[in-house]
């Protein structure tokens, strides 16, 4: 798998795991996500399976499509709360 960065215009990289999880939260199929993003089902499937990393523009389209549906991505070190600003999380070892 190509390890290139997918940051486009300030949009953070999207991982296959995040994409699958976001689709699961929305109860969307790969076909529905592809339609919402203007991409092919093959692009979504290849990305989620780890066979290919789409172009940064396509990754940005996927992320925008998921965010437009209400998905909020946060980094692994930050938790977002409704009552205040992001705070550091404590991870167990």
């Amino acid at each position: 798998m190509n390890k290139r960065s997918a940051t486009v215009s300030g949009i953070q990289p999207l991982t296959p795991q995040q994409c699958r999880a976001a689709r699961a939260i929305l109860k969307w199929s790969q076909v529905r996500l592809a339609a919402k993003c203007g991409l092919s089902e093959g692009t979504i499937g290849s990305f989620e399976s780890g066979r290919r990393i789409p172009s940064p523009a396509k990754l940005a389209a996927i992320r925008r499509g998921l965010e437009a549906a209400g998905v909020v991505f946060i980094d692994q070190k930050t938790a977002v709360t409704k009552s205040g600003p992001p705070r550091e999380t404590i991870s167990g070892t």
Side-chain angles (χ1 to χ4, degrees):
M1 179 184 272
N2 187 344
K3 300 288 185 189
R4 68 187 162 135
S5 173
T7 302
V8 175
S9 302
I11 296 174
Q12 294 300 310
L14 179 69
T15 68
Q17 297 83 359
Q18 288 173 315
C19 188
R20 283 192 304 272
R23 273 195 319 100
I25 289 167
L26 296 170
K27 298 180 181 170
W28 281 8
S29 65
Q30 289 180 347
V31 172
R32 185 163 185 190
L33 175 58
K36 295 285 186 180
C37 301
L39 302 172
S40 72
E41 179 186 356
T43 297
I44 304 298
S46 293
F47 172 54
E48 288 187 353
S49 70
R51 289 189 309 263
R52 286 192 210 155
I53 296 177
S55 70
K58 288 180 180 179
L59 283 173
I62 294 168
R63 187 177 180 110
R64 281 192 306 269
L66 294 168
E67 288 175 337
V71 174
V72 176
F73 294 96
I74 59 173
D75 66 39
Q76 293 180 346
K77 295 180 182 178
T78 305
V80 176
T81 63
K82 291 182 181 181
S83 61
R87 58 188 169 91
E88 292 298 313
T89 59
I90 301 170
S91 60
T93 54

